[in-house]
Amino acid sequence: LACLSQVSHFNTLCVTMIDKPNSSPDDSPPSAFQVWATAARPHTLTASISPVIVGHSLASVLSFATATPLLPSTHSLLLLSIRFAAFACLIQLGTNLHNDYADFVRGADTKDRLGQARATQRGWLTPYQTAAAATACLVAALAIGTGLSRVVALAVSASLDVPIMLIVISSAFNAVAYTGGPYPLGYIGLENLSIGYSGMGEVFVFLYFGVVATATVPYMHLKMMSPDATSVITSAPFRASLAAALPIGLLATSIIVVNNLRDRCTDVLANKRTTAVRFGEKFARSEYALCVIGSYLCIMPFIAVYGIGWALPLLSLPLAVPEIRAVALGEKDGAALNAHVGGAAKVQAVFSVLLAIGIQLSDNIKYNA
């Protein structure tokens, strides 16, 4: 009876939320620029760039004590970081565009959607257009990533760097596997494979928009000083990049948690089994609190290890507090959470910039092997 009561309450809540449309009666299409900007979701693109800023800052102070840099003179660290930032941004754009396409064809995006407008669902773009745009972004990302792999491989006179190529290929695959759908995975019989629909979205975001996005630039920089990938990955300098990736990954994850919390009522109708659908509203709000508060708490031990500069991200707490109140403490729900998807991205961006500055202010001897 208790379970039936909970289900009834959930259904009543969802009907109430869905009955409050997020769109105005005027559905006239915006300009072409606005349509593509809507599909690209620029308010969250900092999630792919912020970790690279931190990674670049770390790489600039990392070194092996007895190593001579093997970085080609035509590929400065800044250029390396810019190229990887372009790769990461294109992966996120490809993921967003493919999600716009696939959520529509899979029935998750309907007229009852509570979140920001989706270009395919509104009819502003056809499924073919959004799928084609996603493909273009991912092809460009593959080209940039392969180029980076070749640059890193020059240190050992090889054609490609295997770890970088694994990152490049898996990132592109996960971009379409996040939502799944008939294109392109249907061509290989995997149209039902979906990271997001199976409730693994948070894991994907933490790993790729946290660990991978933060630690790849330091890895490439160190690999050019020491050709042995194993010695790089087990080194003290690389461990510093993993330490920085932890809070950045948690804050990136908070963005998808807000998104899933907001959409749980329409997601359940489309059999999209996010963690918010599987475990409920209270779990999602607690998960958000864990991600945001945890990102600040996990900085504390690193302050003792790497220096007081790592305390600088604490200055972003005033931005995080209203987000915690709205999301974790339940002040807002449904369409009212739209602003807090971008709000979570803003907290991560400011936190990342402050951490990047703090790394520069700390004693770099503590980072080096």
Side-chain angles (χ1 to χ4, degrees):
L1 289 175
C3 291
L4 288 173
S5 176
Q6 281 187 329
V7 171
S8 175
H9 172 72
F10 179 76
N11 289 339
T12 302
L13 174 65
C14 288
V15 168
T16 303
M17 290 167 59
I18 292 172
D19 280 346
K20 297 176 181 178
N22 190 41
S23 57
S24 63
D26 180 14
D27 276 337
S28 57
S31 68
F33 175 82
Q34 290 173 317
V35 167
W36 284 108
T38 297
R41 309 174 202 176
H43 60 292
T44 62
L45 286 180
T46 54
S48 57
I49 299 172
S50 299
V52 183
I53 293 173
V54 175
H56 173 78
S57 180
L58 269 168
S60 68
V61 298
L62 296 181
S63 69
F64 286 105
T66 59
T68 301
L70 302 172
L71 190 69
S73 59
T74 54
H75 291 89
S76 67
L77 175 59
L78 179 60
L79 180 57
L80 203 68
S81 298
I82 290 172
R83 290 176 67 178
F84 183 71
F87 165 80
C89 193
L90 283 166
I91 289 293
Q92 187 179 359
L93 280 170
T95 305
N96 289 350
L97 289 164
H98 185 268
N99 174 259
D100 197 296
Y101 148 78
D103 263 351
F104 172 72
V105 299
R106 296 188 67 160
D109 283 348
T110 67
K111 62 181 179 59
D112 295 321
R113 176 177 169 77
L114 297 174
Q116 287 95 343
R118 290 291 179 259
T120 312
Q121 183 273 319
R122 288 292 188 90
W124 299 336
L125 295 172
T126 65
Y128 174 84
Q129 287 175 303
T130 43
T135 302
C137 288
L138 296 177
V139 169
L142 284 168
I144 293 173
T146 302
L148 285 171
S149 176
R150 287 174 177 166
V151 170
V152 176
L154 288 176
V156 290
S157 301
S159 57
L160 295 170
D161 183 77
V162 174
I164 295 298
M165 282 309 302
L166 288 175
I167 288 170
V168 169
I169 294 170
S170 64
S171 296
F173 177 81
N174 289 336
V176 294
Y178 183 81
T179 315
Y183 175 83
L185 295 181
Y187 291 112
I188 56 175
L190 296 177
E191 62 272 15
N192 293 320
L193 175 67
S194 173
I195 296 169
Y197 279 65
S198 61
M200 295 296 290
E202 289 91 336
V203 176
F204 163 73
V205 170
F206 178 81
L207 288 177
Y208 280 84
F209 290 89
V211 177
V212 170
T214 305
T216 297
V217 171
Y219 166 80
M220 291 190 293
H221 180 59
L222 291 169
K223 181 68 182 294
M224 291 171 174
M225 294 182 178
S226 174
D228 181 11
T230 302
S231 67
V232 169
I233 294 172
T234 58
S235 68
F238 190 73
R239 288 199 298 272
S241 68
L242 294 179
L246 181 58
I248 302 302
L250 287 172
L251 289 172
T253 305
S254 72
I255 300 171
I256 195 68
V257 173
V258 183
N259 186 83
N260 290 343
L261 175 66
R262 179 200 63 201
D263 293 343
R264 68 191 186 278
C265 291
T266 49
D267 284 346
V268 72
L269 299 176
N271 199 31
K272 189 174 182 180
R273 306 289 290 170
T274 63
T275 51
V277 170
R278 286 176 181 271
F279 306 115
E281 176 188 351
K282 289 183 179 179
F283 176 89
R285 294 189 187 277
S286 299
E287 184 183 17
Y288 181 86
L290 177 65
C291 288
V292 178
I293 297 172
S295 66
Y296 289 94
L297 291 178
C298 73
I299 279 288
M300 301 302 183
F302 301 137
I303 296 171
V305 176
Y306 298 119
I308 193 64
W310 281 58
L312 209 57
L314 297 176
L315 295 177
S316 64
L317 263 172
L319 280 177
V321 170
E323 302 300 321
I324 293 170
R325 284 204 306 264
V327 182
L329 300 184
E331 287 187 359
K332 294 185 181 179
D333 204 356
L337 288 172
N338 282 335
H340 299 284
V341 177
K346 184 184 296 183
V347 171
Q348 187 212 25
V350 174
F351 185 104
S352 298
V353 170
L354 290 171
L355 180 55
I357 296 170
I359 288 166
Q360 295 295 314
L361 298 177
S362 298
D363 185 357
N364 67 354
I365 294 175
K366 294 177 181 178
Y367 300 120
N368 300 326

